């Protein structure tokens, strides 16, 4: 880490971010950023500080705080800053991506909580970072969930971190510093650690032999790194979306009855602590059954969908398993079904399947028809 030689002039270098590799921001969901650089700096020159003393095997990270009302999140994209002196392009590094859920601070010490993702451990690969810019990596395929840990001191925090597995700069070393390395948003040389420029409980570093430290307070051999060896906020960003959104959608057609085809229409989505409501349209005599199952692949009748012609319902298919059946009664042609969802987090993300049978005695020998089928997911 910083301080092998304590050559401050070579460890803190203001450079020009003139051509970032990619524009930043999120197409949907939430964009997380704690640095002061523009969110999409594709053509905006910005001064930054390359922190040359970060060694191979060490890690840089940003801690984000989640609003109390925000549901648990899925990380969909991460952004790693990799810079070089004078904005030089083409210097490469192999970085591991690490995500921690549940972070707390005790002075300069950082308690990292649960490691919920490592790109190296999960996919046996690295993020190939290049100078000079902000390197994006799509994490949406990995189902990285944060915000699930209990609040610490009333605050839910998570950290996006990048570990340098290999720094390919040809002239760098841990002892003398690496001309290409992670950078912060700092654009000026400081003789005093300014909390407005280097805020506490924001940027973190993992120092070999010490562990995780608050970059604003960290010391090496008794010397505080801020401001001569570290200053600013890491330009580490990420995108997220609700990890378990409440959803309700049709996945298979029904069969016609005498007044049309019964349709399942969601009125209130299945959220924790709330009562979901589903309406059933086109009920000829106001009488039916709501079937709720845990599968749309198999049932007691065999594989799904199951052709019900042999039971007297020609042209009709059963599309959900027969795990729960509730009666539907209405005085019109539209019925309503409801279910109170317990406020239990272990239900988040569970999926269920539904289909209604509506009575229509003259229609066929079984006396009815099937609605379309829907799948729903319990969310926040």
């Amino acid at each position: 880490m910083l301080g092998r030689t304590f050559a401050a002039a070579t460890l803190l270098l203001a450079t020009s971010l003139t051509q970032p590799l990619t524009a930043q921001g999120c197409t949907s969901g939430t964009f997380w950023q704690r640095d002061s650089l523009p969110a999409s700096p594709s053509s905006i020159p910005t001064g930054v500080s390359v922190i040359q003393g970060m060694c191979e095997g060490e890690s840089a990270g940003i801690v984000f705080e989640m609003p109390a009302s925000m549901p648990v999140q899925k990380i969909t994209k991460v952004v790693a800053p990799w810079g070089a002196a004078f904005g030089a392009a083409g210097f490469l590094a192999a970085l591991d991506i690490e995500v921690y859920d549940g972070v707390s601070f005790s002075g300069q010490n950082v308690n990292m909580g649960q490691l919920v993702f490592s790109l190296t451990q999960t996919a046996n690969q690295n993020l190939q970072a290049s100078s000079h810019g902000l390197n994006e990596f799509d994490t949406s395929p990995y189902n990285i969930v944060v915000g699930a840990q209990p609040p610490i001191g009333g605050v839910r925090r998570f950290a996006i971190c990048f570990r340098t597995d290999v720094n390919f700069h040809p002239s760098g070393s841990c002892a003398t510093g690496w001309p290409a390395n992670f950078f912060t948003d700092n654009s000026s040389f400081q003789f005093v650690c300014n909390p407005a420029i280097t805020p506490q409980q924001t940027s973190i570093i993992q120092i070999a032999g010490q562990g995780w430290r608050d970059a604003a307070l960290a010391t090496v051999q008794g010397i505080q790194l801020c401001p001569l060896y570290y200053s600013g906020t890491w330009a580490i960003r990420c995108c997220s979306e609700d990890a378990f959104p409440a959803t309700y959608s049709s996945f298979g057609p029904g069969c016609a009855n005498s007044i049309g085809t019964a349709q399942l229409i969601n009125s209130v989505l299945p959220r924790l602590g709330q009562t979901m409501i589903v309406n059933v349209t086109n009920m000829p005599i106001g009488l039916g059954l709501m079937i709720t199952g845990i599968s749309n692949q198999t049932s007691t009748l065999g594989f799904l969908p199951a052709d019900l012609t042999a039971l007297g319902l020609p042209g009709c298919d059963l599309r959900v398993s027969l795990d729960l059946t509730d009666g539907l009664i209405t005085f019109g042609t539209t019925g309503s079904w409801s279910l109170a969802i317990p406020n239990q987090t272990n239900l988040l993300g569970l999926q269920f399947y539904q289909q209604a049978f509506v009575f229509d005695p003259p229609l066929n020998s079984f006396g009815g028809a099937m609605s379309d089928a829907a799948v729903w997911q319990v969310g926040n």
Side-chain angles (χ1 to χ4, degrees):
M1 178 52 202
L2 313 174
R4 274 74 176 187
T5 61
F6 286 103
T10 63
L11 296 181
L12 184 63
L13 182 63
T15 65
S16 178
L17 182 60
T18 57
Q19 293 182 338
L21 298 179
T22 52
Q24 304 304 301
C26 309
T27 56
S28 62
T30 301
F31 178 49
W32 301 83
Q33 173 188 5
R34 301 198 75 173
D35 63 87
S36 61
L37 301 177
S40 300
S42 57
S43 61
I44 304 174
T46 305
V48 300
S49 293
V50 177
I51 309 301
Q52 298 187 353
M54 293 292 292
C55 297
E56 291 177 320
E58 295 181 329
S59 186
I62 283 289
V63 176
F64 296 102
E65 296 185 354
M66 298 179 62
S69 60
M70 175 174 271
V72 293
Q73 297 289 291
K74 174 184 175 181
I75 304 300
T76 56
K77 182 172 73 173
V78 295
V79 179
W82 194 255
F86 310 110
F91 292 112
L92 307 178
L95 308 179
D96 188 15
I97 302 169
E98 297 177 338
V99 181
Y100 294 83
D101 190 26
V103 179
S104 63
F105 293 85
S106 178
Q108 67 170 300
N109 298 321
V110 186
N111 305 308
M112 291 303 286
Q114 181 181 2
L115 175 65
V116 295
F117 178 75
S118 162
L119 181 62
T120 300
Q121 295 177 17
T122 301
N124 194 30
Q125 62 173 301
N126 307 100
L127 164 60
Q128 302 299 305
S130 178
S131 70
H132 183 91
L134 298 163
N135 297 261
E136 296 183 352
F137 188 89
D138 179 11
T139 57
S140 57
Y142 297 105
N143 195 33
I144 306 168
V145 175
V146 297
Q149 298 297 309
I152 301 174
V155 181
R156 288 183 300 160
R157 299 184 181 94
F158 67 93
I160 306 295
C161 307
F162 297 96
R163 183 180 307 280
T164 307
D165 288 336
V166 184
N167 190 328
F168 292 106
H169 195 282
S171 64
S173 72
C174 187
T176 61
W178 297 86
N181 220 315
F182 299 108
F183 63 79
T184 73
D185 61 358
N186 179 53
S187 60
S188 61
F189 192 84
Q190 302 288 320
F191 291 98
V192 177
C193 190
N194 186 336
I197 295 174
T198 311
Q200 297 180 20
Q201 299 188 4
T202 302
S203 295
I204 58 177
I205 52 179
Q206 188 181 40
I207 303 173
Q210 291 194 38
W212 286 98
R213 296 291 184 265
D214 186 332
L217 302 173
T219 60
V220 172
Q221 298 176 10
I223 298 176
Q224 186 167 327
L225 302 183
C226 180
L228 297 181
Y229 304 98
Y230 179 93
S231 190
T233 299
W234 295 124
I236 293 173
R237 295 100 174 266
C238 71
C239 299
S240 74
E241 60 186 24
D242 287 358
F244 305 111
T247 60
Y248 194 98
S249 60
S250 175
F251 71 86
C255 52
N257 59 59
S258 59
I259 64 171
T261 300
Q263 302 288 326
L264 303 183
I265 300 176
N266 178 255
S267 177
V268 179
L269 286 168
R271 292 189 169 97
L272 294 185
Q274 298 186 22
T275 298
M276 70 175 294
I277 299 175
V278 179
N279 294 325
V280 184
T281 66
N282 294 328
M283 298 179 62
I285 64 170
L287 186 64
L289 300 172
M290 178 68 84
I291 304 167
T292 304
I294 60 174
S295 176
N296 67 345
Q297 301 296 315
T298 62
S299 74
T300 54
L301 298 182
F303 292 109
L304 299 173
D307 186 349
L308 300 178
T309 299
L311 296 180
L313 288 90
C316 297
D317 291 322
L318 176 68
R319 300 183 182 278
V320 306
S321 57
L322 303 165
D323 297 295
L324 176 66
T325 303
D326 295 313
L328 294 169
I329 301 177
T330 179
F331 293 104
T333 59
T334 299
S336 182
W337 177 88
S338 63
L339 178 68
I341 308 294
N343 191 17
Q344 299 174 1
T345 56
N346 63 317
L347 298 177
L348 283 173
L350 293 183
Q351 288 188 333
F352 298 91
Y353 305 88
Q354 281 190 316
Q355 190 175 21
F357 170 78
V358 296
F359 286 94
D360 193 356
L363 184 66
N364 49 45
S365 61
F366 197 86
M370 304 301 296
S371 75
D372 64 340
V375 54
W376 50 277
Q377 176 174 282
V378 180
N380 290 101

